[in-house]
Amino acid sequence: MLKDTNFPFLQPVYRQLLDAIDMGIHVINKEGVSVIYNQKMSEIEDMDKDEVLRKKIMDIFLFNNEDESRLLQALNKGADLKNAKQSYFNFKGQEITTINDTFPLVDGDNIIGAVEVAKDITKLEQLTRENSREKKDARFTFDQIIGNSQSLKAVIENAKHATKTSSSVLVYGETGTGKELFTQSIHNGSERVSRPFISQNCAALPDSLIEGILFGSVKGAFTGAIGHIGLFEQADGGTLMLDEINSLSASLQAKLLRAIQEKTIRRIGDTKDRSIDVRIIATVNEDPLISIEKNHLRQDLYYRLSVVSILVPPLRQRKEDIPVLIEHFIDKYNQRFQLRVPGMSEEVLHLFLEHDWPGNVRELEHMVEGAMNLIHFDEEIDYSHLPMHMRTKFHSLEKPSPEPEKENTSPSHTAITGTLQENMDRVEKDLLERTLRHHRGNVTKAAKDLGLSRQSLQYRLKKFLLVAREV
């Protein structure tokens, strides 16, 4: 048995142990005064220990009466509450949501205090609320997709064919290319137009939360769970757009595949399947075959989703669309900002046409919007209106006079024209052609020689319109 002399040593040990625990702990004495308040609880409620310790509960939190406090219920009535969800406000007016175990501290027959052990779910609660607000109607149609390039027109025509069926669609392309415009346009052009269109970004939420959001749950399925229907059921008869589907875990992708194949879902904690009629349109922000190679996307889910595949080209591959996009965005922000900007200077347009736009159409729109925040009522956009980081990139409008070309027939000094990406594409296409010729069109041998999978090589052959034997 420990002697009294050990207590001075044990007190700091207890404090350190309490602060190391990843659960909030709050203890009050029989007068309702806080005597223990660990570090985790301080983080959950965003209050310093000095703001809580040695103070009464009713002086700390914005309760209307003592019955609203679980700690005071335990102290005054002996209430023993397990896995109870609670939302309340601290004295700073911040809303906090926790799952608590609250119980009285008893010495013989007397209640001498109460303790609360809390798990913070404030952020999960906020994310759930935000998700419920994210559901929206499809606003875009094909005639609102801006661009005159042949590559974009071909994609639009391909997407229009997808409106005639209810097959799954996979839309892929770099971030900012406008993939959601195509998903909404497909829904609005289909016979499901009068039914729900629900959009969910799969990368925005953790797997533990998004599974319940997609499939729903029954009351008591997990701590704090209330019965609710998921997005699949909410989109019944309509379209469910799943953005960045490659961000989901492999196990959740398997459940998604089952739902698509069997046209049924099972809520978390439930024992019965529910029939659904939902069209899935998924998006990924990289080549899906690369996602498969990186184990970001299940191969079987890819085949199920890619009944119709739509590749939205990056802006650098359709630069002829830049002038018409600029005109569209200037008109948009003229109306929004009550301006009369007539257009863009030739010098800045030239710079925009030279830029590679890694952020694609979204980056271009933000550039125009940023410039119009710095502009006067009716002047055109010029170099001085560009954001500083773009001015640094472009350096100056002054272009050096072209030097006379020196004659040099050496292969190592061949003049190089075009962007970096265009030159890389030429090199890649040349290598593919030479490797295929070497193996007489044999895809399997060529893929092995290039260190690629057959799927990856076939994707690249399709990209460059090359023909090979399927071996």
Side-chain angles (χ1 to χ4, degrees):
M1 179 178 289
L2 294 172
K3 297 180 180 179
D4 290 346
T5 53
N6 287 320
F7 289 145
F9 165 76
L10 288 175
Q11 286 180 1
V13 173
Y14 289 149
R15 285 196 294 269
Q16 290 182 48
L17 287 173
L18 287 170
D19 284 339
I21 295 172
D22 193 33
M23 298 285 283
I25 298 176
H26 190 175
V27 179
I28 59 174
N29 63 16
K30 62 182 179 180
E31 284 81 29
V33 174
S34 299
V35 292
I36 296 176
Y37 191 74
N38 77 339
Q39 183 61 36
K40 185 63 179 180
M41 189 64 95
S42 174
E43 294 171 1
I44 290 172
E45 297 181 334
D46 192 24
M47 293 191 292
D48 293 334
K49 292 183 180 183
D50 291 340
E51 296 174 314
V52 177
L53 291 173
R54 297 174 295 280
K55 292 183 176 64
K56 290 191 173 185
I57 289 291
M58 295 301 291
D59 294 333
I60 302 169
F61 300 101
L62 303 179
F63 294 124
N64 293 317
N65 56 65
E66 291 189 356
D67 287 340
E68 292 184 0
S69 167
R70 301 282 171 81
L71 272 171
L72 291 177
Q73 286 181 37
L75 178 67
N76 298 331
K77 301 178 181 180
D80 191 343
L81 304 169
K82 301 291 186 184
N83 291 327
K85 182 178 176 182
Q86 183 180 27
S87 291
Y88 56 99
F89 293 86
N90 63 14
F91 75 91
K92 298 178 182 178
Q94 296 171 321
E95 185 177 14
I96 298 149
T97 305
T98 55
I99 298 292
N100 304 333
D101 287 341
T102 312
F103 50 90
L105 294 172
V106 179
D107 182 12
D109 294 331
N110 300 317
I111 296 176
I112 60 171
V115 61
E116 189 161 76
V117 180
K119 179 181 180 181
D120 184 21
I121 61 167
T122 303
K123 290 183 179 178
L124 294 182
E125 188 77 4
Q126 291 171 348
L127 287 170
T128 302
R129 291 176 187 173
E130 288 169 6
N131 174 75
S132 66
R133 291 194 293 267
E134 188 181 51
K135 293 177 288 183
K136 55 191 175 183
D137 295 328
R139 297 176 289 110
F140 294 103
T141 57
F142 287 114
D143 58 3
Q144 292 173 281
I145 299 176
I146 308 298
N148 298 319
S149 62
Q150 290 303 312
S151 59
L152 185 65
K153 288 181 177 178
V155 176
I156 292 173
E157 285 305 309
N158 186 23
K160 284 181 177 178
H161 289 301
T163 63
K164 300 173 184 177
T165 71
S166 290
S167 299
S168 299
V169 180
L170 181 65
V171 182
Y172 59 102
E174 297 174 8
T175 299
T177 50
K179 297 184 290 295
E180 187 163 353
L181 272 67
F182 282 89
T183 65
Q184 292 190 21
S185 297
I186 291 170
H187 172 80
N188 281 331
S190 73
E191 61 182 14
R192 294 174 179 255
V193 62
S194 62
R195 305 297 295 164
F197 175 88
I198 295 179
S199 171
Q200 174 61 52
N201 186 332
C202 298
L205 300 170
D207 270 5
S208 58
L209 186 59
I210 199 167
E211 182 177 359
I213 288 172
L214 290 175
F215 299 110
S217 64
V218 296
K219 187 175 181 180
F222 52 88
T223 302
I226 57 175
H228 75 281
I229 65 173
L231 297 186
F232 270 97
E233 291 179 77
Q234 294 175 43
D236 194 37
T239 302
L240 177 58
M241 179 245 187
L242 299 175
D243 192 19
E244 296 188 57
I245 199 169
N246 50 325
S247 65
L248 295 177
S249 67
S251 61
L252 196 48
Q253 288 186 32
K255 292 181 181 180
L256 183 60
L257 175 63
R258 176 182 176 275
I260 296 171
Q261 288 184 158
E262 300 183 11
K263 299 186 183 301
T264 61
I265 60 98
R266 181 179 295 181
R267 294 182 187 177
I268 297 175
D270 205 351
T271 57
K272 66 177 182 179
D273 293 334
R274 301 166 190 264
S275 297
I276 51 166
D277 173 24
V278 176
R279 184 182 200 179
I280 301 295
I281 304 181
T283 74
V284 292
N285 54 13
E286 64 179 355
D287 174 358
L289 296 179
I290 292 176
S291 283
I292 292 171
E293 289 179 356
K294 293 179 179 178
N295 294 319
H296 293 166
L297 181 65
R298 287 177 60 109
Q299 192 172 37
D300 48 5
L301 179 60
Y302 164 68
Y303 288 132
R304 173 57 61 180
L305 291 173
S306 61
V307 177
V308 179
S309 291
I310 296 171
L311 170 60
V312 183
L315 188 56
R316 65 179 175 274
Q317 292 181 5
R318 54 183 186 98
K319 288 190 174 181
E320 59 267 45
D321 289 336
I322 289 177
V324 67
L325 284 166
I326 291 171
E327 181 180 355
H328 169 73
F329 293 138
I330 289 176
D331 287 344
K332 174 180 177 178
Y333 290 105
N334 268 336
Q335 293 181 32
R336 184 171 297 181
F337 300 155
Q338 298 296 299
L339 297 173
R340 292 183 181 176
V341 175
M344 178 177 287
S345 70
E346 288 295 325
E347 292 84 358
V348 174
L349 177 59
H350 172 78
L351 293 175
F352 276 29
L353 291 171
E354 290 296 312
H355 186 45
D356 278 340
W357 301 106
N360 293 294
V361 179
R362 185 180 297 144
E363 181 188 2
L364 175 61
E365 179 175 3
H366 289 172
M367 194 73 66
V368 173
E369 181 184 3
M372 291 180 68
N373 271 276
L374 302 175
I375 212 162
H376 292 298
F377 182 67
D378 59 358
E379 61 180 340
E380 68 178 9
I381 297 173
D382 63 27
Y383 184 73
S384 66
H385 300 127
L386 299 182
M388 186 57 68
H389 72 278
M390 288 303 289
R391 289 191 233 173
T392 303
K393 178 178 177 62
F394 291 145
H395 296 298
S396 170
L397 291 179
E398 295 181 7
K399 305 175 187 61
S401 302
E403 295 182 5
E405 292 186 8
K406 296 180 181 178
E407 231 178 86
N408 194 324
T409 57
S410 169
S412 62
H413 290 82
T414 303
I416 297 176
T417 59
T419 65
L420 173 63
Q421 185 61 49
E422 289 168 345
N423 281 282
M424 289 175 67
D425 285 346
R426 280 197 290 268
V427 171
E428 182 179 0
K429 182 178 179 181
D430 179 63
L431 178 59
L432 292 175
E433 287 178 328
R434 287 189 287 108
T435 307
L436 281 172
R437 281 199 301 270
H438 176 72
H439 292 290
R440 297 184 179 180
N442 187 307
V443 174
T444 301
K445 291 181 179 179
K448 184 177 180 180
D449 199 13
L450 291 165
L452 300 172
S453 67
R454 278 175 53 89
Q455 287 178 323
S456 186
L457 177 57
Q458 287 167 337
Y459 168 79
R460 287 166 170 79
L461 296 178
K462 182 178 179 181
K463 174 182 175 182
F464 294 112
L465 304 177
L466 300 175
V467 179
R469 289 192 295 118
E470 293 292 330
V471 179

